[in-house]
Amino acid sequence: MMEDLLPVLNLIFDFGCLVLIALVQGVIYPSFTFYNKEALFRWHRKYVERVSAVVIPLMGGQLLLSLSIYYFRYQPFYLVKLLLVLLVWLLTFTIFVPLHNRISKENHSEKVSMITEDLVKKNWYRTVLWILIFILQVSLFFFG
């Protein structure tokens, strides 16, 4: 029974991640550029705490569902999707967590604008990946 729900749950979580990345890329990260160093530091701590309550369940659910559907269906396209999801995780923990940590340092000497511009530019990688993941899941759901 649960196995039958996997494609629908995958689609729901992939859509959730797509909406999340659209908001992050189109609204949230660009808004960081309007803060001065002190204001961004104060807001960023609250932002990370609040957004984590959304991001962690979405990304965790997407990963678990991608693993599950690959295990139960064992098709090459599900492996491709799983690898794309793992690549998003890799980028998140190797690029974006460190960038957010740099913002969170109260006495960092870097220009905040350089860090926030890096977030916006580099986040295009995750944006493209999540678009591809969603397109692949929609294709698998309707045609696969």
Side-chain angles (χ1 to χ4, degrees), residues 72 106 109:
F72 286 111
E106 187 170 8
S109 58

Side-chain angles (χ1 to χ4, degrees), residues 41 44 48 92-93 95-108 110 115 119:
F41 174 74
H44 190 260
V48 168
T92 298
F93 286 100
I95 295 174
F96 297 95
V97 169
L99 283 171
H100 282 285
N101 288 341
R102 284 170 40 200
I103 292 172
S104 295
K105 289 182 184 175
E106 187 170 8
N107 295 319
H108 57 71
E110 294 179 82
I115 300 170
L119 277 172

Side-chain angles (χ1 to χ4, degrees), residues 25 29-30 33 96 115-124:
Q25 186 63 21
Y29 283 176
T33 63
F96 297 95
I115 300 170
T116 56
E117 287 172 15
D118 253 6
L119 277 172
V120 173
K121 285 184 209 169
K122 291 178 179 176
N123 198 52
W124 277 110

